Each structure stands twice: as structure tokens, then as C-alpha cells.
Amino acid sequence: RQWTLFAKRGLHNMAYKQYILVCGGTACESNRGIALFDALKKAVAENGLVNDVQVVRTGCLGFCEKGPIVKILHQDTFYVEVTPEDAEVIVKEHIIKGRVVSRLLYDKNQSKINVGIEGIDFYQKQFRIVLRNCGVIDPDKIDEYIARDGYKALEKVLFDMKPQDVIDEVSKSGLRGRGGAGFPTGKKWSFAALQPAGQKYMVCNADEGDPGAYMDRSTLEGDPHSVLEAMAIAGYAIGASKGFIYIRAEYPLAIQRLENAIAQAREYGLLGEDILGSGFSFDIEIRLGAGAFVCGEETALLASIEGMRGMPRPRPPFPAVKGLWDRPTVINNVETLANIPVIILKGGLWFSKIGTATSKGTKVFALTGKINNSGLIEVPMGTTLREIIFDIGGGIRGGKAFKAAQTGGPSGGMIPPQFLDTPIDYENLAKIGSIMGSGGLIVMDEDDCIPNIAKFYLDFTVDESCGKCAPCRIGGRKLLNYLDKICDGKGTHEDIENMREISEAMSRASLCGLGQTASNPVQSSLRYFMDEYKEHIDGKKCRAGKCKNLLRYTIDKNKCVGCTACARVCPVNAIAGERKQPHTIDGEKCIKCGQCYEVCKFHAVNRA
């Protein structure tokens, strides 16, 4: 065996006295993160520190609400909301003088320089396996990945394990597919391995299309080699020599880092012919998707790779038997694969001790919506929704009341307050009418209208439906029409019953999983929020003030001081009145934009 770790110049050999880590995820880079990185490098150079201090662009550190983030090693100091203008003070105060810049800390009252993430509530209940290297290494340098035990799992399987041993270890771990359905990964691999020898394929599904979801993108941006290593391991296990990463073209940074990682892995002999002299050959190709939501469904994804229109195929046969170009194919998403190297190195038994009896390991969520601490999180399966929203997420923005959480994106369900203490895993979510999905978790507060939210998701799925099967194509459109009626104040109770029947038919008869779950937001909202539907139908009222056709704006003459602020912002001149005299709103002209309501400092504008 000829295998030498190449990480002689990696970050984790600590060749420099100090390291300034700058979050290089898409969110931070879009918030002047690139300018911040350049400013820090310039400040280091101008102060003559290039031989002692290295500035490193990492992947996403997760705490997106407080980005851009800068982390300084060896002290492990964690700075938030850093701007390019802060670069000079960080270098002069922290690096040169050893004094913490308190105003940039999450806790402004801290005064010690060794202030890491341990004291930040956002990270307290997280356990990082998938995100283990994100924000820790430079994703563009293979040496740094190798220095963190990267490709060691591939070495182990090639020289110490037979293909069946690999499948057995993954099966022992209890790892289930993180793409939504939760199918056991080891079982999927075994189906493909049992097929006759010949051309087989390994496919990574990086086509996350759920609104608000960015788990896979961030993993690929921050730790692309973990997915490449996992694909090679899976290829060895099932007898595949070729892999494809299907990723949407809207992820330019992830694509760039993947391309760089693949080139480096080939250069190091970790991809391509005769990997590490083992006799095993495996290579990977990137295929770009055009952003169709349906291509997240595995058979539609395969059709797209083949150069055809992305539309689902009937199953069986399943892809593990007859997939890409009619050859046995295993499809796993990014998060599933990122677990594989750790499982091989630490053992399936170690992994199986994390999580619940039926849902092992951790789950990555993109925590967004009406939450104080939005960001990318990874928690053990079984963590409750309350812990995620209030302990990690910091509670509801503005101190408002929690109304619901949507898991599983457009295919998931709305979870009401009475289930805040439900452990989050595959079975418990199914019991309350939702799904795990790929990991989008959107939080709603008292100002959100449930029928309107359901309409938003149906509008998305109707627009993204491939149209191949009638239950999804026609059923989705009918549901959206009923929701439009209800939100316009024209709905009836008969519409509710029709929506229930259509939802049930879609669940039973749609061709693919996307069509089968498209009605979940409607079903869960009818199950838990019927009172809001009744208000829209019977009372012609939207308590959240989101349904414009149910709103009426008036001005309280006793509170109006005639400041004219409302009249000045009205885009249709629907507000009349003399200065210092009470104003009135012409209901016929009013387009219910709400600008008058927002600008009135005297709370004289009423919305009902």
C-alpha cells in the first residue's frame, strides 16, 4: 500500500502564528464578504504580518443572521457582523496588541480574547457531522481536507474492506436518505450491488429546490471533498466506476468549488484510474440543472442527466435496478453522502447511537422565517421543534407569538404550537402531517395568514409541476383556485370539502413523490388551522391582514393630527384632508398597499 497524507502546508498544521478565518459562504459573500476578505489581507500585508498571519476564506459557519463572520485562531475568537471597514481595527487591536474588539463580539460585554462559539446559544445544542469542516477549512485546498482525516475513509475501504463490508457498515449505522423519503441508505446500496457486474452509476443529487433551503449548497461550498470521497466509497461498494453530481446552475460558488475539488482529487490520484494503486477506478462528472423543482425527484433527475426533459418515470423498476441509461444507479443527496466518511472511520455503531431508535444521526436544517437567529444548523435527530426555534433560533422576531413551522418545503406540512415539544424525526413528523424533506424549516408568527401561506406553496408547486400526470397537473391547479377564492373572500364551505377530496386523490394517485406530497400544506393547514379558513369564508376577514381583498383601511378622526404622512405615501391619491385636519380614505380608490398603515406614527390608520 502506497498512501501518504499530502497535508504538509494545510491550515491544521498551524504553520502560522495566527489565522483569520473569513466566512466564504454565499450569504456572507453577498454581504460584502469578499471585500472583507480582501481588506483583511491588505491590512495584514500593510502591517508586515504576511509571514505570521494567514487570512483564510472558509465555507459557511452557519450563523447567517450575524454574518459576515470572522473567526481568529488560535484564540478561537468569534466576531459577527464584520464589515470591510473593521479589517484595520481587527489587525491592529486583536492581532498586534492582543486586545479583543468587544463591539464585534456576539456578546458585547465579553472582554476576553479567548471567546469562541462555546458561549453562543446558537451553537449550544448543535452536533456537527455533515458540517464538520464547514467554516473550519479552506474548501479550495485539498491539503486542509486531508489534514482533517479527509480521504482516510476511502483508503480504509480500498485496502481493508470488501464492498459488502462497506454496505454492512452503512446499514449498521441506520443512516437514512436525507433527501426527503428517508429510505435506508445501506439497503439502497445493496440493491445496486446485487445487480450483475457491468456499468453502474453513482449519482449525487444536489438539486435542492425548496424555497428557503440551502443545506446542500452550503455543504458543497464549505466541504466539497467530503462528497467526492463519499461518492468514491459508494462506487466501490456497488461496483460503479462513474459518478455524476447533478447541481442547479444557480449555485455558481458551489460549482466552482466542486470543479476545483475534482481537479485536485484527480491530481492527487484520489479520483480517476487505479485510485491509490488499489486497482479501483472511479471518476466524477458535474451536470448542471436548469432549476426545475421536479428534477429533485430521482427519476426526473436521471432523465435530465440523459439529456431529456426532466419528467418522472413509473416505478418499479427502481433506479438501483434500472436507472441511468438503464443501468443500475444509486442516487443519494449531498447531506446523505457527507455522513459516509465519518461512518466508515468511526463505525456504524458509533453513528447509530446518535438520534432516535428509528432515525439515526443528525439532521441539517436551513432555519429561516420569523426567527431571531436564522442560519444553517445541524442537530441530533429527536431534537424538539421548541429547542430548534427558541434555544438555537433565539425565539420569534419582535417577541411575537409563534404560529407554525413548515418543514419539508412545499411538500411539507404546517406544524402548530401544540407540537413544539415533538421530537423531530421521520416518524413523528409523519404522524402530525408533515415530512422531514431535505431540511428547509420556515418559522411563521402571528402576522402570517395560514390560507395565504398554503396558497404560496401551491402556487410554487403548480408552477413547477412537470404536468405529466393528471392528479398533480389538474389537482394542484384546482387547489390553487380554491385558495384564491378563499383569500379573496369568495370561498364556501363546499370548497373546503372539495379541497380535502382533491388532496387525498393527489396523495394516492400522483406519479411521483413531489405530486404525492404537493397537497401537504393544504391538508395540514385544514387540519390545524380551520378557524382561519372559517374567518375568511364566514367573516370575510383575514386576521393577519395579508389577504388584500379582505382588508379595509380607515382613519380614526380622533387620533389623526393631519400630519399628511399617509397622503404623501399613498400611490393612488386615495387619502384626502387638509393639513392639521383629520384625513379620510376613499375606499374605492384604495389599493390596500398598506403604506399608510406603516407610516402613521399616531396609530390613526386602522386595518380590518
Side-chain angles (χ1 to χ4, degrees), residues 312-594:
R313 302 168 182 170
R315 297 176 298 176
F318 291 93
V321 176
K322 188 177 181 181
L324 201 56
W325 291 294
D326 292 334
R327 303 304 303 167
T329 305
V330 164
I331 307 166
N332 291 127
N333 83 326
V334 170
E335 185 181 346
T336 307
L337 289 168
N339 282 291
I340 298 298
V342 181
I343 290 172
I344 297 300
L345 288 181
K346 295 194 175 184
L349 185 61
W350 173 85
F351 189 87
S352 70
K353 292 179 180 178
I354 304 165
T356 66
T358 56
S359 299
K360 307 296 185 181
T362 60
K363 183 72 191 78
V364 179
F365 290 101
L367 183 60
T368 58
K370 306 292 185 62
I371 194 83
N372 282 317
N373 297 334
S374 64
L376 195 69
I377 69 171
E378 184 174 1
V379 294
M381 289 281 195
T383 302
T384 66
L385 197 61
R386 185 183 301 276
E387 290 175 290
I388 292 173
I389 293 174
F390 291 95
D391 295 341
I392 298 173
I396 309 302
R397 194 180 301 155
K400 301 210 170 178
F402 167 76
K403 179 175 277 190
Q406 176 88 4
T407 64
S411 303
M414 300 183 200
I415 303 173
Q418 59 262 42
F419 296 118
L420 274 171
D421 294 309
T422 300
I424 300 299
D425 60 23
Y426 292 99
E427 284 72 26
N428 279 316
L429 285 177
K431 287 178 185 176
I432 60 178
S434 191
I435 62 172
M436 185 76 71
S438 58
L441 202 167
I442 301 175
V443 178
M444 295 165 249
D445 69 8
E446 62 190 74
D447 291 335
D448 285 306
C449 167
I450 294 299
N452 196 269
I453 293 290
K455 187 177 80 167
F456 165 79
Y457 284 119
L458 259 295
D459 185 60
F460 177 84
T461 50
V462 165
D463 187 57
E464 293 289 343
S465 173
C466 75
K468 185 172 184 177
C469 71
C472 178
R473 182 182 70 249
I474 300 173
R477 171 54 64 182
K478 292 290 288 183
L479 286 180
L480 181 57
N481 289 344
Y482 284 127
L483 288 167
D484 274 332
K485 278 183 64 181
I486 290 169
C487 291
D488 284 344
K490 301 173 183 177
T492 67
H493 288 281
E494 184 181 1
D495 294 337
I496 298 294
E497 295 308 312
N498 290 337
M499 288 168 65
R500 286 198 173 104
E501 291 181 10
I502 292 170
S503 296
E504 183 67 21
M506 290 177 67
S507 300
R508 291 176 177 272
S510 292
L511 177 60
C512 76
L514 296 181
Q516 292 161 13
T517 56
S519 65
N520 278 352
V522 174
Q523 294 192 66
S524 63
S525 63
L526 290 175
R527 183 177 178 183
Y528 300 119
F529 298 96
M530 180 54 73
D531 56 335
E532 287 200 40
Y533 280 96
K534 288 180 177 178
E535 284 180 1
H536 282 67
I537 293 170
D538 297 330
K540 310 299 180 187
K541 179 181 178 182
C542 174
R543 68 172 72 169
K546 300 296 183 182
C547 299
K548 288 187 177 181
N549 288 339
L550 298 182
L551 294 180
R552 182 169 176 264
Y553 287 90
T554 57
I555 295 178
D556 186 336
K557 293 183 178 181
N558 294 321
K559 293 182 179 179
C560 180
V561 297
C563 69
T564 75
C566 58
R568 282 182 274 124
V569 299
C570 181
V572 292
N573 297 318
I575 301 176
E578 298 293 328
R579 188 171 183 80
K580 296 185 180 181
Q581 296 296 320
H583 284 45
T584 58
I585 298 177
D586 186 338
E588 295 297 321
K589 290 184 179 180
C590 178
I591 60 171
K592 302 168 185 177
C593 65

Side-chain angles (χ1 to χ4, degrees), residues 7-324:
K8 296 178 181 178
R9 300 175 305 281
L11 165 63
H12 295 277
N13 282 325
M14 296 301 181
Y16 291 83
K17 292 180 180 179
Q18 286 184 302
Y19 292 83
I20 303 175
L21 308 186
V22 184
C23 178
T26 292
C28 284
E29 290 209 345
S30 65
N31 191 18
R32 303 178 72 202
I34 296 175
L36 169 62
F37 175 78
D38 292 338
L40 284 165
K41 290 194 72 173
K42 181 181 178 182
V44 166
E46 288 179 346
N47 286 277
L49 300 172
V50 290
N51 295 322
D52 298 318
V53 180
Q54 185 179 27
V55 184
V56 180
R57 182 186 284 127
T58 71
C60 177
L61 282 133
F63 204 176
C64 305
E65 182 74 28
K66 296 296 181 179
I69 290 170
V70 169
K71 188 175 180 181
I72 299 182
L73 303 179
H74 307 293
Q75 295 90 4
D76 197 31
T77 310
F78 194 87
Y79 290 131
V80 300
E81 298 177 322
V82 186
T83 69
E85 291 74 27
D86 296 320
E88 187 73 17
V89 71
I90 288 175
V91 171
K92 288 188 173 179
E93 288 295 310
H94 187 123
I95 302 298
I96 296 175
K97 298 179 182 178
R99 297 196 296 225
V100 69
V101 185
S102 299
R103 67 177 176 81
L104 296 177
L105 293 173
Y106 176 71
D107 183 352
K108 313 301 181 190
N109 296 319
Q110 294 277 5
S111 58
K112 296 180 180 179
I113 201 166
N114 293 307
V115 180
I117 65 173
E118 293 78 11
I120 299 176
D121 47 13
F122 180 80
Y123 293 100
Q124 294 308 296
K125 293 191 175 181
Q126 294 195 49
F127 186 75
R128 295 194 157 202
I129 298 176
V130 173
L131 303 177
R132 61 193 179 276
N133 291 324
C134 291
V136 179
I137 66 172
D138 182 342
D140 281 322
K141 293 183 179 178
I142 190 173
D143 292 331
E144 296 194 6
Y145 178 71
I146 293 174
R148 295 266 295 175
D149 289 335
Y151 290 106
K152 196 173 181 180
L154 177 60
E155 175 203 11
K156 180 178 179 179
V157 303
L158 293 182
F159 294 104
D160 298 336
M161 301 174 76
K162 296 177 181 178
Q164 188 59 47
D165 296 334
V166 179
I167 294 173
D168 290 344
E169 201 64 42
V170 173
S171 298
K172 189 188 302 181
S173 73
L175 176 66
R176 297 171 66 173
R178 299 299 196 246
F183 191 82
T185 304
K187 186 177 289 187
K188 181 183 283 191
W189 289 14
S190 67
F191 290 158
L194 289 172
Q195 301 309 305
Q199 183 64 62
K200 299 179 183 180
Y201 297 102
M202 180 66 211
V203 174
C204 170
N205 181 355
D207 189 64
E208 60 182 352
D210 295 4
Y214 55 96
M215 302 75 59
D216 291 351
R217 185 200 75 202
S218 294
T219 302
L220 291 172
E221 289 175 355
D223 192 16
H225 286 284
S226 66
V227 174
L228 303 187
E229 182 179 13
M231 291 181 70
I233 291 170
Y236 174 78
I238 69 172
S241 60
K242 181 72 174 180
F244 291 91
I245 299 176
Y246 186 85
I247 180 170
R248 51 183 49 221
E250 294 100 321
Y251 286 177
L253 183 59
I255 293 167
Q256 172 197 318
R257 288 180 176 166
L258 271 175
E259 289 173 341
N260 182 59
I262 290 172
Q264 289 182 336
R266 286 173 181 158
E267 180 186 352
Y268 277 44
L270 298 166
L271 283 179
E273 297 294 321
D274 192 20
I275 295 174
L276 299 177
S278 65
F280 171 66
S281 299
F282 185 83
D283 209 351
I284 295 173
E285 183 179 329
I286 297 175
R287 289 293 176 91
L288 302 184
F293 181 64
V294 72
C295 286
E297 195 277 335
E298 59 180 17
T299 61
L301 182 153
L302 295 180
S304 183
I305 291 179
E306 292 172 348
M308 297 183 289
R309 181 179 175 185
M311 300 180 79
R313 302 168 182 170
R315 297 176 298 176
F318 291 93
V321 176
K322 188 177 181 181
L324 201 56

